[in-house]
Amino acid sequence: FQDPYSSLDPSKLIADIVAEPLVVHGRARGGDAAALDRTVQTLLEQVGLGAVHMNRYPYEFSGGQRQRIAIARAIALEPKLMVLDEAVSALDVSTQNQILNLLEDLRTRTGMAYLFISHDLGVVQHVADRVAITYLGRIVETGPAARIFGSCAHPYTQALLSAVPEPNPRRQRARRHQPLAGEIPSPLAPPSGCPFHARCPHAMDVCRREMPAHTAV
């Protein structure tokens, strides 16, 4: 989850938090407490923590450490897919890098896949193999990360990428920005046809009536 401070029960020990999915799904080996503790210790070690942290409470940890604990809990059942919802956006940049490196290491060692949800396109470019861009809950463009960040086709994707700050001031001044006109429609009452047509510089009459078909690029 996005917030490592509210996603852990403050009244539980770390050992109990990490063990919870094992207990709920019957992986606790018939109530063998010692075996469960060993499994929890192994999970914590996989995320860069250890046995010394098992009998502490969440308030005793930093944001990055809490996110490591949340990841240990998430991998307890050896999933094939992990969904990460803004998993690093609440962390400072150096801690973000540590968590991203940890996730990459886990993916390499386990073969697990990630569905990584983020507004930070720099992070997305760093971690993703394939990218899907959404607008009002609909995917407007998808493809390999190299194509999306190198030669995207949809005007919304182009506008998003043009808004990403460039660290080099000279390059930043030379960039062609593509600001979007208009306001974002309500997702509770999306417009007919293409949801982006009211803000799209290339909109045609047909866009107001029909949702464009998916086109491979």
Side-chain angles (χ1 to χ4, degrees), residues 18 25 55 61-62 86 88 90 94 97 102 105 107 111 117 134 136 146 161 174 177 193 196 200 202 208 213:
V18 177
H25 291 273
N55 293 314
F61 295 87
S62 67
E86 296 283 4
V88 298
S94 62
N97 289 336
L102 169 63
D105 179 60
R107 181 169 63 174
I117 304 166
T134 63
L136 286 184
L161 293 179
H177 295 282
F196 188 61
C200 180
H202 309 295
R208 296 171 175 81

Side-chain angles (χ1 to χ4, degrees), residues 196-211:
F196 188 61
H197 78 256
R199 308 181 73 193
C200 180
H202 309 295
M204 301 176 288
D205 287 341
V206 67
C207 301
R208 296 171 175 81
R209 301 190 306 269
E210 300 178 16
M211 181 69 185

Side-chain angles (χ1 to χ4, degrees), residues 1 5-6 22 41 64 81 88 99 115 123 169 172 181 183 187 194:
F1 298 105
Y5 294 93
S6 64
L22 296 165
Q41 180 179 339
L81 172 70
V88 298
I99 296 300
L115 175 58
V123 172
Q172 176 72 7
E183 298 293 330
C194 174

Side-chain angles (χ1 to χ4, degrees), residues 6-196:
S6 64
S7 61
L8 303 178
D9 188 333
S11 67
K12 286 187 176 182
L13 293 171
I14 299 308
D16 296 326
I17 290 172
V18 177
E20 184 174 13
L22 296 165
V23 174
V24 169
H25 291 273
R27 304 282 187 89
R29 299 183 182 178
D32 186 339
L36 184 60
D37 283 347
R38 288 194 296 272
T39 301
V40 170
Q41 180 179 339
T42 298
L43 289 166
L44 289 174
E45 289 171 349
Q46 287 182 301
V47 298
L49 300 174
V52 68
H53 301 97
M54 291 174 59
N55 293 314
R56 295 167 62 185
Y57 289 92
Y59 76 87
E60 300 179 72
F61 295 87
S62 67
Q65 288 175 319
R66 294 187 199 198
Q67 206 63 304
R68 289 175 185 270
I69 293 165
I71 292 170
R73 177 178 58 183
I75 66 174
L77 298 176
E78 301 178 350
K80 295 181 179 179
L81 172 70
M82 185 191 298
V83 179
L84 299 111
D85 185 7
E86 296 283 4
V88 298
S89 64
L91 308 175
D92 62 68
V93 174
S94 62
T95 306
Q96 280 188 13
N97 289 336
Q98 294 172 17
I99 296 300
L100 292 173
N101 289 337
L102 169 63
L103 292 171
E104 179 60 30
D105 179 60
L106 288 172
R107 181 169 63 174
T108 300
R109 287 194 281 117
T110 67
M112 176 171 48
Y114 296 138
L115 175 58
F116 194 94
I117 304 166
S118 178
H119 289 86
D120 189 331
L121 295 179
V123 172
V124 171
Q125 185 175 13
H126 177 71
V127 304
D129 295 315
R130 291 186 60 83
V131 176
I133 303 294
T134 63
Y135 183 82
L136 286 184
R138 290 179 176 268
I139 293 177
V140 296
E141 183 168 9
T142 183
R147 186 192 68 74
I148 294 293
F149 287 95
S151 58
C152 58
H154 197 280
Y156 179 60
T157 309
Q158 293 166 358
L160 283 180
L161 293 179
S162 76
V164 176
E166 166 60 56
N168 185 308
R170 184 174 298 174
R171 293 179 184 173
Q172 176 72 7
R173 287 192 295 269
R175 291 178 64 189
R176 178 174 174 268
H177 295 282
Q178 301 182 46
L180 294 176
E183 298 293 330
I184 301 175
S186 169
L188 298 178
S192 59
C194 174
F196 188 61

